Amino acid sequence: MSSQRVIVVMGVAGTGKTTVGRLLAEALGLPYAEGDAFHPAANVAKMSAGTPLQDADRWPWLDAIGDWIRGRNGLGGVVAASSLKRAYRDRLRAAGPRTVFVHLAGERPLIEERMAARTGHFMPPALLDSQFATLEPLQEDERGVVVDVSGSPEDITARALDALGRLGPAELPRTPEN
């Protein structure tokens, strides 16, 4: 379908972006991309050492995700990427005008508990404070939905699908030309 949107599953570390992103992609029959795979090795090393990324670290990462979005524009896809600041989301939206965001949000104790329980991830729980400090929630003029992360991954995915369905079709933003 030529009007498929790209869905960016966003939120702080530990909200389930990867798990829910994969489930959303499967439910929608769309390809999935893991945002962490777009990080340069230097970013992974910083985060593994407990050093929060700065904007200068994130721009090349966001541009790589933007290239993926650009390639999926009109074809659709799902990508998990924290997208914590409005400026980051604006940069991703510029790559694909049909891009929408699913902000996975929840209470800090639940997210902290989930981060502590996961294994094999480079993002240590110690960086959760910096994630919350950086987070700028979706604003009213941003196309997207906020989904609570309590419950099972399947429950969260069902809520996300329902909320996305209420957004309506994947229309291009209105401009004077269209």
Side-chain angles (χ1 to χ4, degrees):
M1 175 182 289
S2 64
S3 65
Q4 286 287 341
R5 58 188 160 207
V6 172
I7 299 165
V8 177
V9 181
M10 62 166 283
V12 299
T15 54
K17 294 182 296 292
T18 296
T19 302
V20 172
R22 286 185 175 138
L23 290 171
L24 276 174
E26 182 180 318
L28 296 169
L30 295 172
Y32 172 77
E34 174 52 51
D36 286 342
F38 293 91
H39 273 298
N43 284 7
V44 174
K46 274 186 163 184
M47 290 183 282
S48 295
T51 303
L53 297 181
Q54 302 301 312
D55 286 351
D57 301 313
R58 288 190 177 101
W59 299 133
W61 171 68
L62 290 163
D63 289 342
I65 294 170
D67 288 343
W68 185 85
I69 290 172
R70 200 170 289 104
R72 299 300 315 158
N73 193 24
L75 302 172
V78 179
V79 60
S82 54
S83 309
L84 298 176
K85 288 185 179 181
R86 170 71 186 251
Y88 306 162
R89 297 188 297 272
D90 288 345
R91 198 167 184 125
L92 294 178
R93 245 188 316 276
R98 290 183 176 93
T99 301
V100 298
F101 294 85
V102 172
H103 178 185
L104 299 181
E107 298 296 322
R108 191 186 193 293
L110 173 63
I111 295 168
E112 189 171 35
E113 178 183 312
R114 288 181 179 174
M115 278 188 83
R118 68 184 184 180
T119 58
H121 197 282
F122 59 80
M123 176 70 91
L127 287 181
L128 189 56
D129 287 336
S130 72
Q131 292 264 298
F132 274 108
T134 302
L135 177 64
E136 297 171 1
L138 284 175
Q139 297 173 16
E140 286 185 28
D141 64 331
E142 293 185 271
R143 191 151 168 84
V145 297
V146 179
V147 178
D148 178 60
V149 297
S150 61
S152 71
E154 294 76 15
D155 292 339
I156 299 163
T157 303
R159 286 194 297 272
L161 287 167
D162 182 57
L164 286 167
R166 289 193 305 269
L167 279 181
E171 299 173 357
L172 284 170
R174 299 295 299 169
T175 65
E177 297 81 41
N178 67 1

